Amino acid sequence: MQSSGIKRKALAAAFPHTLPILTGFGFLGMAYGIHMSVSGFPFWYPMLMAMIIFGGSLEFVCVSMLLSSFAPMQTFLMALLIQARHLFYGIAMLDKYRDLGWKRFYLIFGLCDESFSINCSTVVPADVDKGWFYFFVTLLNQSYWVTAATIGGLLGSLITFDTMGLDFVMTAMFVVIFLEQWLKEKQHLSSLIGVGASVLCLMIFGPDSFLVPAMAVILCMLTLCRKPIEKAGEPL
């Protein structure tokens, strides 16, 4: 009974923090599920991918991967580079997830941008178990995405109108994120590196093959320019 009460208190504390994620994941997850459905996949494809991959940007990219020719090495490299930011998230969460027993394995698997933001910045109340708080934040966020993707996959089979342009939703989201980041930055070196490397690789490799080399160039340039970027970002 005591253990059950600890879990309920942690769930009650975690749920309000995930409500904004519910709104965003509800829309994007359904758009992803519909996109998978109209691309010819049954509803359980987006459901399983949301459960196993749980990476929104990668899942959208996986649609074109599954429809294109078999290229395991390119697929591996693209998936690695797209999700490489989680390496840095993981390093930042090492102390918080230490000594959490079996829960840390799920917390590592379920770490996404939104869960990282909540678990990293939220001050957990003293009377709430931190391990269970982190666990329920991660579980709730994934459940929102899986549920929305599944509903989208089911609704996609009922859609009769033209869905052309639906796959642009992820591009639009990244544009908005980029603009918000640009406005928050004190200096724009990292953003300019991303834009410049992408345009250069697009010109060299073409629209079908530029993504992997562009992300590799961006990673290398950010590593080389890390100190100037950090110095420029320091408060005056």
Side-chain angles (χ1 to χ4, degrees), residues 18 21 33 53 63 79 96 99 103-104 118 126 141 221:
T18 66
I21 314 303
I53 299 176
V63 180
K96 287 182 177 290
D99 301 326
K103 290 190 287 294
R104 73 179 185 275
I118 296 173
N141 286 341
M221 291 298 297

Side-chain angles (χ1 to χ4, degrees), residues 1 3-13 136:
M1 290 295 292
S3 176
S4 178
I6 292 174
K7 294 176 185 177
R8 284 198 298 268
K9 182 175 288 188
L11 176 60
F136 282 121

Side-chain angles (χ1 to χ4, degrees), residues 108-174:
I108 293 169
F109 163 76
L111 186 64
C112 64
D113 301 3
E114 293 75 14
S115 296
F116 168 78
S117 178
I118 296 173
N119 287 341
C120 184
S121 61
T122 301
V123 177
V124 182
D127 60 338
V128 174
D129 184 273
K130 291 184 178 181
W132 283 112
F133 178 87
Y134 299 149
F135 177 84
F136 282 121
V137 166
T138 306
L139 181 64
L140 286 169
N141 286 341
Q142 186 177 16
S143 67
Y144 300 153
W145 181 258
V146 173
T147 301
T150 304
I151 293 174
L154 291 169
L155 292 177
S157 60
L158 305 176
I159 290 178
T160 57
F161 57 84
D162 186 8
T163 57
M164 181 178 295
L166 183 64
D167 54 340
F168 188 73
V169 65
M170 205 64 186
T171 304
M173 185 187 73
F174 280 127

Side-chain angles (χ1 to χ4, degrees), residues 164-225:
M164 181 178 295
L166 183 64
D167 54 340
F168 188 73
V169 65
M170 205 64 186
T171 304
M173 185 187 73
F174 280 127
V175 169
V176 172
I177 292 174
F178 174 80
L179 292 175
E180 289 182 349
Q181 189 65 28
W182 178 277
L183 294 174
K184 292 178 181 178
E185 289 176 342
K186 296 180 180 179
Q187 51 78 30
H188 304 297
L189 181 56
S190 56
S191 297
L192 292 174
I193 287 174
V195 173
S198 300
V199 172
L200 179 63
C201 290
L202 178 62
M203 295 172 61
I204 296 174
F205 299 100
D208 296 328
S209 306
F210 85 100
L211 185 57
V212 171
M215 297 192 72
V217 171
I218 291 170
L219 182 61
C220 292
M221 291 298 297
L222 289 177
T223 302
L224 292 173
C225 300

